[in-house]
Structures are given as C-alpha cells and as structure tokens.
Amino acid sequence: MQYRRFGRTELSLSNFSLGTMRCLSSPQVFYQTVNRAIELGINHLETAPSYGRSEEYLGLAFQRGIPRESVYVTTKVLPTINSVSADAEIRASCQHLQTDYIDCVAIHGINTPEHLTRSIEYIVPELQKLVKQGVIGHIGFSTHGSLDLVLQAIQTGLFEFVNLHYYYFFQRLAPAIAAAQAQDMGVFIISPGDKGGQLFTPPARLMELCQPYHPLSLTYRWLLQDLRVTTLSVGAAEPEELELPVGAGSESLSAEELMVIDRLQAHLETTLDTDFCSQCHACLPCPEDINIPEILRLRNLTVGYEMADYGKYRYRMLENAGHWFPGKRGHHCTECGDCLPRCPQQLKIPELLFDADDRLKSGNGRRLWDH
Ligand code: SF4
Ligand code: SF4
C-alpha cells in the first residue's frame, strides 16, 4: 500500500479507501471488512448517514476494538434545502460513529447550482465553525454535477478535497482534476470498480481486449499513475473483495500497459466507426432535456466493449435518480434536429438515441445509492 498527501488537508491517505456502503449484511461482516482493510494498509474509511447503517456499524466496530486513531473517517452532509442543519447532522454522525472527532466531512452531492449556493451561504460556514470547535478536521464535497459546476465549486477555494467520478471510461471531468490540483485539494475517486464500469464482472470482450491485464487492475493502474489522484474508493461487500484492488501499484504505466490502452481506444473507434461519439458535449442543450452525451457514452461502451450490463445499470438511473443522474432517456427524442448542426462528428443523433434506448432499456429498477 502506498500513501499520498490528501492535498492541503496534509493527511497522508492510503491509495485505496474503504467505502462502507456495501459491507452491511451484519455488524460482523462490517467489522471483518474494516479489519481486513486495515491489515492491508488502508487508513481511510468513507461513510455517510445515507449509507444505511454504515455509521452505526462503524461506531460498533470502534467499540469492538478497531482503534479509532488507526483510521481517518470521512462522512457526509446533504446540501438539500430541507435538510436539518449541518451542525445537527454532524453531531448525529458523531453519536452513531461513537467518536467526538470526524476527520473529513464532504457535502454530499453538490449536483446543482442551488446546492452550490446553499453550500456557500449556509453549510460551509456551519462546518467551518465545527472545524474551529475541533469537531471536524476538513471540508470537501462530492458531486454528480456538470463539469462547469464542479469547476465553479472547486474555484470557490472553500474546499480542501473533492470526491469525483473520473475513470478511464469516463474522462469528462479531467479538467476538474487539474483545477483541484491548482487549489492543492485532495482528490478521492468514487468507486472506480463499480461506477467506473462494473469491472468486478467485466464482459468477455473487454477481458480479451485488456489481456494480459484484468480490466479492473488496468483501471486502477490508469488512475494511480496519475499523481494528482490521492485515493480510490473500494466499496467491498466482504473482506475477500479487497484483495485484488490493493495489489495495484502506482508507478508510471509500462509500455505494455500503454499499448493495451491504445488498443482499447483504437478498438472503440474502429468498431463504432461513423457512430463514435467523442463526448465533446457540444450537442447540448436538448429541448427535451435528453442526456445525449451520457447515453451515447453508454452506447459507445456497449457496442465497443460489450459492456451492456454496465450500460443498462447506468441508463436505468436516467429519470430515476433526480439530480444524481440528470436528463431524460433517448426515446423522448422528438427529432427536432436542434442538436444536429452542433455535432462535430455529424452523428445521426436521434437514430443513435433510439438505438441506445433499444439496447439499454430494462425497466426502471430501484436506484442503488450513488454517492
Ligand atoms: S433531435 Fe432529439 S436529441 Fe436532438 S435536440 Fe431534438 S429532441 Fe434533443
Ligand atoms: S456533439 Fe456529437 S460527438 Fe459531441 S457529445 Fe454530442 S453527439 Fe457526441
């Protein structure tokens, strides 16, 4: 395990962090998973009031003998308008966690301009008071917002770290990594194994293209060789799920790894040919609020790498997860044509959206918690 400075928090975090939203089948499994994470060198645990009984089980794990001082703990507060005060939320979290100090608090999902305004005007000032009182250590945020919104939030200078969705298969937020570094912020990558492509269970095509590497190992390597990234979260459901990830090193990518990454990109472009969406986002806005780039990203991955299960998992969240996954599905396209002249690839966007909808629709499903 390697450790990196978490930006200007000056904490030294392990390259991997344990996200504790999945190891909740019992307090025993939770304890064993945390214990194994610590044995492997993980020193950062991430929880939230909205992760079911995660805070409570972590409090029990501390009671049962996990030394509180052996780990840094991050929990969250919501920026929504009807949430209770941040002060009350943090004090409730301290009670659940059976601790009087929380190392890091992230505002949970600055996903809209209203969330950012509320954070700046109310939540950050409340949290800053708690920092002065010694109840919490550092303030950051997580987000599902647009690139512009993420950049605005970073540029306020109010936050010491950011929790981002940034993966090999989703590089839209690359400028946010650079902006965070310019502000000397820590960068925590949210669940690259799952949200970054469901890479614990990759399709055969992707496995074959990544040979001799496992797609999960390759994605961890791709992230960790970027020294601007501090730590990657692993949402293990049980201790055994921690073994593969923590084996990934953080040295520069080897010639063979670079060759595999080039092969992945070349295969995507060749397979999609004239249907390849470059993810430039120039097609937006759509009057029907269709999330064109995200739908075509999922189509890219489904056609190119046979990542249909991942595509369905994410597509299902459109129209089901509010501001956590905004925009409408492809079948709402009225073929108005507004987006067409804006697409530098001259893609037949309506046709591709209907095709993506056919490939990816699979009922509404219940939304899994998504940071
Ligand atoms: S053609 Fe479809 S996707 Fe494009 S702007 Fe009109 S409704 Fe939106
Ligand atoms: S403008 Fe075209 S290439 Fe760019 S994201 Fe939209 S559909 Fe994809």
Side-chain angles (χ1 to χ4, degrees):
M1 183 67 63
Q2 295 184 1
Y3 299 84
R4 285 186 188 169
R5 177 178 169 272
F6 196 38
R8 63 182 192 267
T9 70
E10 300 297 347
L11 303 179
S12 179
L13 297 193
S14 44
N15 274 351
F16 288 92
S17 297
L18 177 66
T20 59
M21 79 294 284
R22 287 184 64 233
C23 50
L24 299 171
S25 56
S26 70
Q28 175 71 0
V29 168
F30 189 99
Y31 173 83
Q32 288 168 345
T33 310
V34 169
N35 205 35
R36 183 67 187 138
I38 293 170
E39 280 173 5
L40 290 166
I42 288 176
N43 70 357
H44 180 220
L45 309 180
E46 187 228 9
T47 182
S50 44
Y51 293 174
R53 301 179 78 173
S54 168
E55 284 189 338
E56 180 194 334
Y57 284 3
L58 183 51
L60 290 173
F62 289 141
Q63 282 301 304
R64 201 174 150 185
I66 302 278
R68 171 66 187 87
E69 63 283 1
S70 65
V71 287
Y72 299 115
V73 173
T74 292
T75 195
K76 315 260 182 58
V77 291
L78 286 167
T80 42
I81 203 81
N82 50 5
S83 54
V84 293
S85 76
D87 183 277
E89 281 194 55
I90 293 300
R91 292 190 192 275
S93 288
C94 282
Q95 246 182 354
H96 294 142
L97 291 163
Q98 308 203 32
T99 184
D100 54 8
Y101 179 74
I102 297 172
D103 305 277
C104 299
V105 172
I107 298 181
H108 197 166
I110 297 186
N111 298 338
T112 67
E114 294 72 32
H115 291 156
L116 179 57
T117 303
R118 181 166 163 75
S119 297
I120 294 168
E121 290 180 358
Y122 300 105
I123 300 173
V124 169
E126 273 192 75
L127 293 177
Q128 285 170 334
K129 279 188 202 154
L130 290 167
V131 171
K132 281 198 186 125
Q133 291 166 17
V135 179
I136 66 175
H138 307 281
I139 304 167
F141 70 99
S142 70
T143 178
H144 268 240
S146 66
L147 174 61
D148 284 351
L149 184 76
V150 178
L151 292 174
Q152 274 179 47
I154 288 173
Q155 281 152 7
T156 61
L158 291 170
F159 302 103
E160 292 169 274
F161 67 93
V162 61
N163 300 358
L164 282 180
H165 291 263
Y166 171 70
Y167 315 112
Y168 175 72
F169 295 116
F170 177 68
Q171 298 183 31
R172 172 73 181 158
L173 295 186
I177 301 276
Q181 190 196 28
Q183 293 274 346
D184 195 16
M185 292 168 69
V187 174
F188 171 106
I189 302 294
I190 300 167
S191 179
D194 182 53
K195 311 288 189 298
Q198 283 196 324
L199 300 173
F200 287 101
T201 51
R205 190 84 187 116
L206 186 62
M207 283 288 278
E208 184 191 316
L209 287 163
C210 289
Q211 284 302 321
Y213 307 105
H214 189 285
L216 184 60
S217 305
L218 196 65
T219 209
Y220 286 143
R221 288 280 297 119
W222 183 83
L223 284 164
L224 287 178
Q225 55 84 36
D226 185 341
L227 298 178
R228 301 170 304 174
V229 168
T230 314
T231 187
L232 317 181
S233 81
V234 184
E238 53 189 16
E240 293 69 31
E241 285 187 11
L242 287 166
E243 305 299 329
L244 173 63
V246 298
S250 57
E251 61 279 4
S252 299
L253 292 174
S254 67
E256 192 169 19
E257 286 169 327
L258 287 168
M259 195 186 72
V260 171
I261 285 170
D262 285 349
R263 182 165 75 209
L264 279 171
Q265 184 65 20
H267 177 83
L268 193 67
E269 293 183 24
T270 310
T271 311
L272 283 143
D273 195 20
T274 53
D275 291 351
F276 174 68
C277 167
S278 65
Q279 295 289 287
C280 68
H281 283 228
C283 44
L284 296 179
C286 159
E288 302 302 323
D289 195 28
I290 295 167
N291 194 337
I292 306 169
E294 180 61 9
I295 294 170
L296 296 191
R297 177 180 82 93
L298 300 176
R299 186 180 181 280
N300 278 356
L301 298 177
T302 299
V303 174
Y305 303 138
E306 298 178 359
M307 293 170 70
D309 287 347
Y310 171 72
K312 287 177 184 168
Y313 156 49
R314 303 312 275 174
Y315 193 68
R316 203 163 47 225
M317 290 174 66
L318 291 169
E319 302 178 38
N320 264 328
H323 55 74
W324 295 95
F325 210 75
K328 296 220 174 100
R329 297 182 187 179
H331 67 87
H332 293 287
C333 176
T334 60
E335 304 182 59
C336 72
D338 283 10
C339 56
L340 297 176
R342 295 195 288 265
C343 177
Q345 318 273 131
Q346 300 176 320
L347 296 184
K348 295 172 183 156
I349 293 174
E351 207 175 283
L352 296 178
L353 290 175
F354 291 125
D355 177 72
D357 193 72
D358 281 344
R359 291 172 187 270
L360 302 175
K361 70 181 168 208
S362 57
N364 285 333
R366 196 172 63 81
R367 174 182 168 240
L368 292 171
W369 181 257
D370 198 80
H371 292 254

